[in-house]
Amino acid sequence: MRQAVTASIPELAGRVYDVSPPGGAADDPFAVISLGEDVWKSSWAGYRQVVRLKLHAGSLGLGQLDAWANRLIKELHRKRVTGTDNEAFILHYLGVPDADILDSATGKSGRMLRFGIYMPEASGTGPPMQPDEWLHVLTAWTSELLGNPWRIYHSAWPADREEYAVLWRMAGCETKTSGASMVEVRKSFIGHIASPALESGQLTAVALVEELGAKVQLLLDPEDRRYLSVAEASANLQADPILDGQVKLTLMQRRLRPAEEAALIRRVNVHPILK
């Protein structure tokens, strides 16, 4: 985080602290980074770690403070940051919680910016589970359709996801009787499209819905010639790409009911019709 801040504002190089700066340096510009609370969001987003960045322009004044804050928001929101240990995470701007803060010790104003980092829930020490068969086909189809630079994930966001990313997760499943010998299986999925630019994510969400609407069937098993039908696809471009997902999709498959064994007829009695 310190490296990302100084890359955006070179004037703060060597002046980004974990606590207040040493005495006598408060008139110069500096920044303080502190960690806030962890908030549980969902099984696919995990916890959101809040990072607080407090900016002080010192004697440069409020005008410089405004310029730095706007630059940081523009350059760090949805930015992938890689640390010295090669661990990566995506920053999400969460807003300014309060008005400018007056430091009683220095008499200078400071501004608090909040960023969020999503961290997946720990899944234990067991091997990762294979995705649902339908989900696997859907992610493979999306990867082939979008190509580079998009990276496709399933079930949950990884902490080090790429900037251009799509997450598909299964949201529900239901079965319906379709005649005496058929059963209809429906599964609903949510698609999350995340990118550095809002317009890029919206256009990709629309493109996915259009392609799914035009796609009559998705091949599930080439040997058994099993297919999935697209029953419904829609996009909400105002939805949060990380927490809610913009695309709703329902896939359908009709299956033959298995033949059930019935008791054999042991005796037939015929009664004549009397007039």
Side-chain angles (χ1 to χ4, degrees):
M1 185 69 182
R2 182 179 292 108
Q3 294 172 358
V5 171
T6 55
S8 297
I9 307 178
E11 298 91 331
L12 294 178
R15 305 192 60 80
V16 181
Y17 306 100
D18 296 327
V19 293
S20 298
D27 286 338
D28 297 324
F30 68 94
V32 177
I33 296 177
S34 61
L35 295 180
E37 66 279 8
D38 289 343
V39 180
W40 168 255
K41 289 299 180 181
S42 64
S43 59
W44 58 90
Y47 291 88
R48 185 172 69 189
Q49 169 74 67
V50 175
V51 181
R52 297 189 179 97
L53 174 62
K54 189 175 181 181
L55 291 174
H56 294 265
S59 58
L60 298 180
L62 290 177
Q64 187 64 70
L65 193 64
D66 292 337
W68 285 350
N70 292 334
R71 191 189 310 173
L72 285 170
I73 295 169
K74 179 180 179 180
E75 296 185 4
L76 296 188
H77 181 43
R78 300 179 180 178
K79 178 181 176 61
R80 190 174 192 264
V81 176
T82 303
T84 55
D85 53 359
N86 291 326
E87 291 187 358
F89 54 86
I90 299 287
L91 292 172
H92 297 267
Y93 176 61
L94 303 179
V96 179
D98 300 299
D100 289 351
I101 305 168
L102 183 65
D103 193 326
S104 59
T106 63
K108 305 294 183 180
S109 294
R111 184 169 304 172
M112 182 77 73
L113 306 180
R114 294 169 67 247
F115 292 88
I117 300 170
Y118 291 95
M119 301 178 296
E121 180 184 16
S123 58
T125 57
M129 296 183 61
Q130 293 296 321
D132 172 79
E133 186 181 20
W134 293 22
L135 186 59
H136 176 73
V137 169
L138 181 58
T139 54
W141 174 84
T142 306
S143 179
E144 182 179 357
L145 174 68
L146 298 182
N148 290 325
W150 293 91
R151 179 72 181 273
I152 316 302
Y153 304 98
H154 67 81
S155 304
W157 287 114
D160 58 346
R161 71 169 176 85
E162 298 294 333
E163 290 182 331
Y164 291 88
V166 175
L167 169 72
W168 283 109
R169 60 181 175 86
M170 187 163 60
C173 178
E174 64 175 351
T175 60
K176 294 182 179 180
T177 301
S178 180
S181 60
M182 299 289 292
V183 60
E184 184 179 284
V185 181
R186 288 175 174 252
K187 294 183 181 181
S188 58
F189 300 88
I190 303 295
H192 303 246
I193 297 91
S195 68
L198 178 63
E199 295 79 5
S200 174
Q202 291 178 338
L203 291 175
T204 303
V206 171
L208 280 175
V209 171
E210 290 179 346
E211 289 294 330
L212 286 167
K215 192 76 174 177
V216 178
Q217 291 180 324
L218 297 177
L219 181 60
L220 181 62
D221 190 334
E223 294 184 359
D224 296 338
R225 300 186 63 81
R226 292 187 296 139
Y227 295 88
L228 302 174
S229 300
V230 178
E232 183 180 0
S234 62
N236 177 10
L237 301 184
Q238 303 303 316
D240 185 286
I242 304 300
L243 299 178
D244 303 317
Q246 306 98 312
V247 177
K248 291 184 179 181
L249 171 67
T250 301
L251 297 179
M252 177 186 67
Q253 184 187 56
R254 288 187 174 92
R255 302 175 183 174
L256 286 173
R257 286 177 176 272
E260 297 182 0
E261 294 185 358
L264 298 177
I265 299 177
R266 296 176 61 87
R267 182 184 299 110
V268 176
N269 295 323
V270 179
H271 294 276
I273 301 176
L274 300 178
K275 296 184 178 179

